[in-house]
Amino acid sequence: MVQIYTWAYQDWKTITKETLATVVGLPDGITADDYKAITGEAYVAPTTQAPVTETPESSATSEAQVSATVDNNSVQ
């Protein structure tokens, strides 16, 4: 596989460094040393953080919160 990735990156220009980096460490991929041999640059593992997902509030929850706020303000 290393030879195919080498040709794809160096000769055919059909793969980018970023795409090549996604196969580093995969079972059918390449090693960090292979990446360096192919691109001439050291492989740096991505340091991206998983996206934080927020659950949308239901309209019933929002309405209940507004109602509670109005009730609290009325009591004062």
Side-chain angles (χ1 to χ4, degrees), residues 1 4-5 10 18-20 25-26 28 32 38 51 55 61 66 75:
M1 284 306 280
I4 298 297
Y5 287 121
Q10 294 178 352
E18 293 79 14
T19 304
L20 188 61
L26 295 178
D28 290 328
I38 294 169
T55 56
T61 303
V66 169
V75 172

Side-chain angles (χ1 to χ4, degrees), residues 1-70:
M1 284 306 280
V2 175
Q3 186 60 55
I4 298 297
Y5 287 121
T6 302
W7 287 333
Y9 179 76
Q10 294 178 352
D11 298 332
W12 304 329
K13 309 290 188 224
T14 56
I15 191 171
T16 64
K17 282 190 281 191
E18 293 79 14
T19 304
L20 188 61
T22 64
V23 297
V24 173
L26 295 178
D28 290 328
I30 61 175
T31 66
D33 289 338
D34 294 333
Y35 179 88
K36 185 173 183 175
I38 294 169
T39 64
E41 297 178 12
Y43 172 73
V44 178
T47 57
T48 58
Q49 181 179 1
V52 177
T53 56
E54 295 181 19
T55 56
E57 291 183 22
S58 69
S59 61
T61 303
S62 296
E63 290 172 8
Q65 290 172 343
V66 169
S67 176
T69 303
V70 170

